[in-house]
Amino acid sequence: MELDLREISRKENSEMPIDLSVDLSGEEIDGIFPLKKPVTLKGVIKNSADVLKLNAVLNAFYLKPCDRCFEETEQQITLNIKRVFVTQEENENDDYILVPLLKFNVDEFLRSEIILNLPTLHLCSPDCLGICSVCGKNLNKFKCDCPK
Ligand SMILES: [Zn+2]
Ligand SMILES: [Zn+2]
């Protein structure tokens, strides 16, 4: 999905509400397709004094096996996004989105935001017991008598 920002960039002090639902289920990340549900982006793009700003909330569900017990686990990712659109590369900070032709590639942006903000651990629960390294049982569901 691509948003055309040319119109709003011409209208100083105007707003463009955004309420997007993007299907990224075909996006491969780390060898799997973890974004089975649509990723949403809700908020507004504002042109204030000729500066284009994005202020929105990204919501996604990331589905992959738990890092400890390997059960399929869905984690919700909610990100508050505040960015400025620029048409030329800037070095001062990275809080901008480069749109040389004022075309905002939403899919690419959402994908990279999600990857950058993935939690380091993907767990089915904070106290997941994982699997036994001896017998391979899921210790959340079974007890085993293996020596620890
Ligand atoms: Zn687990
Ligand atoms: Zn065991």
Side-chain angles (χ1 to χ4, degrees), residues 132 134-135 144 146:
C132 171
V134 181
C135 69
C144 71
C146 300

Side-chain angles (χ1 to χ4, degrees), residues 23-28 33 35:
D23 177 12
L24 295 181
S25 59
E27 290 287 331
E28 186 178 340
F33 298 89
L35 300 165

